[in-house]
Amino acid sequence: DADVTQTPRNRITKTGKRIMLECSQTKGHDRMYWYRQDPGLGLRLIYYSFDVKDINKGEISDGYSVSRQAQAKFSLSLESAIPNQTALYFCAVWDIDQETQYFGPGTRLLVL
Amino acid sequence: KQEVTQIPAALSVPEGENLVLNCSFTDSAIYNLQWFRQDPGKGLTSLLLIQSSQREQTSGRLNASLDKSSGRSTLYIAASQPGDSATYLCAVKWFRSGGGADGLTFGKGTHLIIQP
């Protein structure tokens, strides 16, 4: 368990608003990830970070930005939210010893 | 394109049956493969992790196999129980060649219902 926390757990916002989803981890993992999940679909990678100075785009980065403020924190921003960004968002870390990803509890976002 | 496919999309069986969930992947250059369980509206719980060099992993009533040559993995659930009802996700971590993206590639999942 990597003790990954996400805030908020639920968020309702309006089209055009800027919002930030936050992720924190307590075990000092270097690699952090943001995914989104739409109903009936698997998770898709938005952005990932290997360390504070290394940010990389994933499969579906358009409309999103990220910030790695510290090793323990990785934030996802929606600059101007739109309804098709309504989804369940997951943060994850890569445990290099276990060679597996551990996921946070998710943030449910509704864009009206 | 590296893709992961899960069949069936949904499955409903009576309690007590043994069942198999299938996962196929398009590229044999996998680093490892992981099976997750997801309850409605909840996060992901890792069930089994199979490294590229392994053929199978077992945990309790669960057994996962990996056949890289055929691009397939199966999750076998023995003596199913109503508490096994959930969505099961297969995810692949690929070897990163040519600057490909890191992270996991997920299938769309199998929604499993175990009838009491």
Side-chain angles (χ1 to χ4, degrees):
Chain A
D1 191 354
D3 279 334
V4 181
T5 59
Q6 293 183 234
T7 57
R9 295 295 311 281
N10 294 279
R11 179 74 184 269
I12 300 173
T13 192
K14 295 182 179 180
T15 296
K17 294 291 187 180
R18 183 182 188 277
I19 67 164
M20 180 181 290
L21 309 183
E22 299 190 8
C23 176
S24 296
Q25 50 114 348
T26 61
K27 296 293 179 68
H29 299 294
D30 288 326
R31 300 186 183 186
M32 299 185 73
Y33 305 78
W34 276 104
Y35 294 86
R36 69 175 276 176
Q37 184 180 33
D38 297 281
L41 299 179
L43 281 68
R44 292 181 292 167
L45 183 65
I46 306 173
Y47 269 98
Y48 60 101
S49 169
F50 286 164
D51 63 36
V52 173
K53 297 181 180 179
D54 187 344
I55 304 293
N56 302 277
K57 293 183 178 180
E59 179 186 355
I60 53 166
S61 59
D62 288 347
Y64 301 94
S65 64
V66 291
S67 173
R68 186 83 181 266
Q69 305 95 317
Q71 186 189 42
K73 296 184 182 297
F74 191 36
S75 301
L76 176 71
S77 294
L78 286 67
E79 300 302 326
S80 179
I82 56 177
N84 76 1
Q85 290 178 314
T86 292
L88 187 56
Y89 289 85
F90 288 102
C91 177
V93 299
W94 177 257
D95 184 323
I96 196 169
D97 294 323
Q98 301 295 321
E99 294 191 302
T100 188
Q101 283 202 346
Y102 291 104
F103 287 80
T107 293
R108 186 170 297 279
L109 175 65
L110 173 61
V111 183
L112 301 175
Chain B
K1 183 180 178 182
Q2 295 168 325
E3 296 181 336
V4 178
T5 304
Q6 291 187 246
I7 295 173
L11 181 63
S12 180
V13 300
E15 179 179 5
E17 283 199 6
N18 302 324
L19 56 96
V20 174
L21 307 182
N22 296 292
C23 173
S24 61
F25 44 92
T26 56
D27 188 341
S28 62
I30 71 169
Y31 186 85
N32 59 35
L33 183 146
Q34 200 162 356
W35 283 92
F36 292 90
R37 169 185 173 138
Q38 184 177 29
D39 293 287
K42 303 294 185 180
L44 279 68
T45 300
S46 180
L47 298 174
L48 290 165
L49 170 69
I50 309 178
Q51 298 294 346
S52 176
S53 58
Q54 297 174 325
R55 296 281 293 181
E56 65 177 339
Q57 284 287 338
T58 298
S59 176
R61 294 182 295 107
L62 305 179
N63 175 275
S65 68
L66 174 64
D67 185 343
K68 288 191 300 179
S69 62
S70 65
R72 294 179 181 178
S73 175
T74 61
L75 179 66
Y76 175 83
I77 303 177
S80 59
Q81 304 170 357
D84 295 330
S85 297
T87 295
Y88 291 79
L89 295 165
C90 172
V92 172
K93 180 171 177 59
W94 312 100
F95 279 105
R96 294 181 69 236
S97 61
D102 196 54
L104 303 180
T105 301
F106 282 81
K108 295 182 179 180
T110 294
H111 181 56
L112 176 64
I113 297 175
I114 307 299
Q115 306 155 11

